[in-house]
């Protein structure tokens, strides 16, 4: 059995066991274990799976671990600071979130991978996914911990439901979006520079729109449901919209994966790399 499958099955079994024991004993000391296992299981599994498809030997386990953990933390911290001071409630709020978080992850990716001698698009996809999944793991841990606290007191059921939902959706969220940007960034970059191209700018804006639609689709679905007056329409629109955004992202990633290294891009600006 392949490593990523063993990791997933073992981790999932441990998470289920932790859920059962926590419910039976009511021991609050188990909550951190429950949160960490549930938040990191799917992201770690997908990063291990992607690692087997790397193009260059420069993409080592050490680099992958660094981009996952360091990139994820740097992305979360940068996004939190920028969103706190730059964003205010308005109709474009979710688009602002998308712009900030995708820029934070892209910057973390470029910083951590600046010393690579060869920047292949395939490796950019893998390392971008690692940063994105790291971001998703730490963000999910925060959401899971917050979900524990309700007006009725501590709710383990809400925590578990949050982890299950975010675990199912994790593969088509942050990891997917940053994988697209990583592939586009690496495709035109060289040993001593990162190339900022028109294609990268368009990809960044496009991914930010997907991010905004993902975050704000429930609000859109609620508005449409209120207009139509059909309460059953909300669930259909909510899931249909998320599936649509996911399919667009997956199709886009496949295009980047297959064509990026064969396309000639003219840089608008070359960012030199200092060792």
């Amino acid at each position: 059995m392949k490593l990523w499958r063993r990791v997933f099955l073992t981790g999932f079994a441990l998470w289920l066991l932790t859920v059962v024991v926590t419910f039976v004993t009511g021991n609050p000391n188990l909550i951190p274990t429950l949160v960490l296992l549930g938040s990191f299981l799917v992201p770690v599994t997908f990063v291990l799976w992607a690692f087997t498809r790397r193009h260059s030997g420069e993409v080592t386990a050490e680099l992958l671990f660094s981009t996952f953990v360091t990139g994820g933390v740097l992305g979360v911290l940068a996004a939190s600071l920028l969103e706190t001071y730059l964003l205010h409630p308005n109709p474009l709020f979710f688009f602002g979130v998308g712009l900030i978080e995708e820029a934070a992850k892209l910057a973390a990716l470029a910083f951590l991978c600046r010393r690579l001698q060869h920047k292949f698009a395939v490796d950019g996809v893998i390392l971008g996914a690692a940063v994105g999944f790291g971001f998703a793991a730490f963000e999910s841990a925060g959401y899971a911990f917050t979900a524990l606290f309700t007006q009725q007191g501590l709710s383990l059921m809400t925590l578990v439901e949050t982890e299950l939902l975010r675990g199912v959706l994790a593969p088509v969220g942050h990891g997917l979006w940053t994988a697209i940007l990583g592939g586009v960034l690496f495709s035109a970059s060289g040993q001593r520079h990162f190339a900022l191209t028109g294609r990268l700018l368009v990809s960044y804006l496009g991914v930010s729109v997907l991010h905004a639609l993902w975050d704000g689709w429930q609000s859109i679905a609620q508005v449409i449901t209120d207009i139509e007056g059909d309460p059953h329409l909300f669930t259909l629109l909510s899931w249909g919209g998320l599936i649509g955004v996911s399919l667009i992202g997956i199709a886009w990633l496949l295009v980047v994966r297959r064509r990026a290294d064969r396309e000639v891009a003219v840089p608008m600006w070359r960012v030199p790399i200092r060792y």
Side-chain angles (χ1 to χ4, degrees), residues 12 14 22-23 32 38 46 61 66 118 125 131 156 207 217 256 275:
F12 187 62
L14 290 173
T22 304
F23 271 101
F46 266 83
S66 175
H118 303 285
V125 167
V131 171
L156 288 175
V207 165
W217 191 259
V256 170
Y275 291 90

Side-chain angles (χ1 to χ4, degrees), residues 58 106 109-110 113-121 124 181-197 199-200 260-261 263-273 275:
E58 288 188 88
L106 183 61
L109 171 67
C113 299
R114 66 192 184 280
R115 295 182 179 177
L116 287 178
Q117 296 295 310
H118 303 285
K119 298 179 178 67
F120 298 104
L181 293 181
V184 176
L185 174 66
F186 275 42
S187 66
S189 299
Q191 178 180 348
R192 296 189 177 276
H193 74 274
F194 279 111
L196 302 184
T197 63
R199 185 162 169 263
L200 178 62
D261 282 329
E263 294 180 357
V264 178
V266 179
M268 297 188 302
W269 183 31
R270 295 180 185 271
V271 181
I273 299 171
Y275 291 90

